[in-house]
Amino acid sequence: MKASLLLTTYNKTDLLYNTLHSISLQKMSFPLDICILDDASAAKDDPTKVIKQFLPKAKFRKSIFNFGTHHSTTAAFRMADLDSDIFILMSTDIILSDINIIQELCSNLSPGFINSAHVKDIPVDPNIWQNKKTWDKNVGIHLEKWDSYSRVFSGSSRSSGNWLFCVAMLKEDFLKADLDVVFCDQLNRYLGKKGVQVKHLDHLRVFHQNHPPGVGKDSRSRIERGYPCRIRDTCSLGTAGSNTCKRGLLTGGNLAEELNKIRKK
């Protein structure tokens, strides 16, 4: 068995320290291929130094355009080893609270299922990575207070929880996501219509580092950035009138052309 971890980051360097540190602590019984794509962060948020510090063997590529999470994940997938059986998707502001999270997340996977860790939004000091005692103490405190924190959702029900936070799936199920085609926060439901179900593993606890809403955001609208949703007119997810679609998931732009430029580098 071999797994590839796909990470995309955009203007979140301050939060990357804790995230990459938690990844570097992981213990696995299988090889882990780490692929990181920077989605055209500003110069002050260049993650190159942080990545080299914690994950020097990781594959790293910088995009010249900001495409957004789903298309950037597709670009990261193109960097992955061809013989990987499992793909792990994780937000770059996540902290893995235990050294066995990735091992357990990838265990007992079966076709048609996604294993999802239990994510809660937690106010974590961005500098706890600097000292082992501080790290262990803070992680322990947040685990003790776990029940007082809010679970992170991307939808109105648990069944549509944000699968991009910390999940693992077999390659065959990852390919069903059609990340080159769909751009919205309803990919979980999209996969559901293709027969893929989410299995919530509540014992795998991970922290989403609470941060101001503006962190990692691009002030331009999605229309200005040229993000297309190629199934907008035929979408059966029932989200055509949602705020997500109203913000500009329209056909247009030269996204396919620009993605090809990245893949050729």
Side-chain angles (χ1 to χ4, degrees), residues 87-111:
F87 285 86
I88 306 161
L89 281 71
M90 188 176 118
S91 169
T92 46
D93 45 17
I94 286 289
I95 294 176
L96 305 173
S97 67
D98 185 87
I99 62 174
N100 296 311
I101 294 288
I102 289 181
Q103 173 72 40
E104 295 194 39
L105 195 65
C106 295
S107 298
N108 302 314
L109 270 172
S110 54

Side-chain angles (χ1 to χ4, degrees), residues 183-210:
F183 181 83
C184 77
D185 58 3
Q186 299 296 327
L187 272 174
N188 199 23
R189 293 174 63 188
Y190 182 76
L191 283 171
K193 287 183 174 291
K194 291 177 172 285
V196 182
Q197 303 177 52
V198 178
K199 185 186 299 182
H200 293 272
L201 306 178
D202 286 351
H203 67 289
L204 300 184
R205 298 178 175 183
V206 300
F207 309 160
H208 172 258
Q209 299 179 75
N210 181 277

Side-chain angles (χ1 to χ4, degrees), residues 48-249:
T48 306
K49 182 179 178 181
V50 187
I51 294 168
K52 288 182 177 179
Q53 178 178 347
F54 292 103
L55 302 171
K57 295 183 179 181
K59 300 172 186 174
F60 174 53
R61 184 176 296 172
K62 298 180 69 173
S63 172
I64 57 175
F65 295 97
N66 175 252
F67 292 125
T69 300
H70 300 127
H71 292 299
S72 295
T73 301
T74 298
F77 170 69
R78 304 292 181 180
M79 300 160 58
D81 289 347
L82 295 175
D83 59 346
S84 288
D85 310 292
I86 294 172
F87 285 86
I88 306 161
L89 281 71
M90 188 176 118
S91 169
T92 46
D93 45 17
I94 286 289
I95 294 176
L96 305 173
S97 67
D98 185 87
I99 62 174
N100 296 311
I101 294 288
I102 289 181
Q103 173 72 40
E104 295 194 39
L105 195 65
C106 295
S107 298
N108 302 314
L109 270 172
S110 54
F113 285 91
I114 295 172
N115 283 350
S116 176
H118 189 171
V119 185
K120 287 202 172 184
D121 197 39
I122 296 176
V124 182
D125 183 333
N127 298 308
I128 62 172
W129 62 272
Q130 295 180 352
N131 181 281
K132 185 180 185 303
K133 288 185 178 179
T134 302
W135 177 272
D136 292 342
K137 179 180 179 181
N138 276 266
V139 169
I141 289 173
H142 291 308
L143 287 175
E144 288 178 3
K145 298 170 63 178
W146 186 256
D147 291 339
S148 67
Y149 297 125
S150 300
R151 178 188 287 270
V152 176
F153 292 117
S154 69
S156 59
S157 68
R158 181 174 176 181
S159 62
S160 58
N162 193 333
W163 67 279
L164 282 173
F165 273 117
C166 190
V167 301
M169 67 194 83
L170 295 174
K171 184 177 183 177
E172 61 191 82
D173 290 318
F174 176 80
L175 293 175
K176 294 176 184 177
D178 293 340
L179 293 173
D180 268 339
V181 177
V182 184
F183 181 83
C184 77
D185 58 3
Q186 299 296 327
L187 272 174
N188 199 23
R189 293 174 63 188
Y190 182 76
L191 283 171
K193 287 183 174 291
K194 291 177 172 285
V196 182
Q197 303 177 52
V198 178
K199 185 186 299 182
H200 293 272
L201 306 178
D202 286 351
H203 67 289
L204 300 184
R205 298 178 175 183
V206 300
F207 309 160
H208 172 258
Q209 299 179 75
N210 181 277
H211 56 73
V215 174
K217 296 292 181 67
D218 189 322
S219 60
R220 296 172 298 161
S221 71
R222 285 173 178 152
I223 295 177
E224 293 173 316
R225 283 180 272 171
Y227 287 175
C229 179
R230 302 177 193 176
I231 64 165
R232 185 175 189 272
D233 295 332
T234 58
C235 180
S236 60
L237 298 178
T239 61
S242 70
N243 286 333
T244 300
C245 288
K246 289 177 181 177
R247 290 190 187 111
L249 299 185

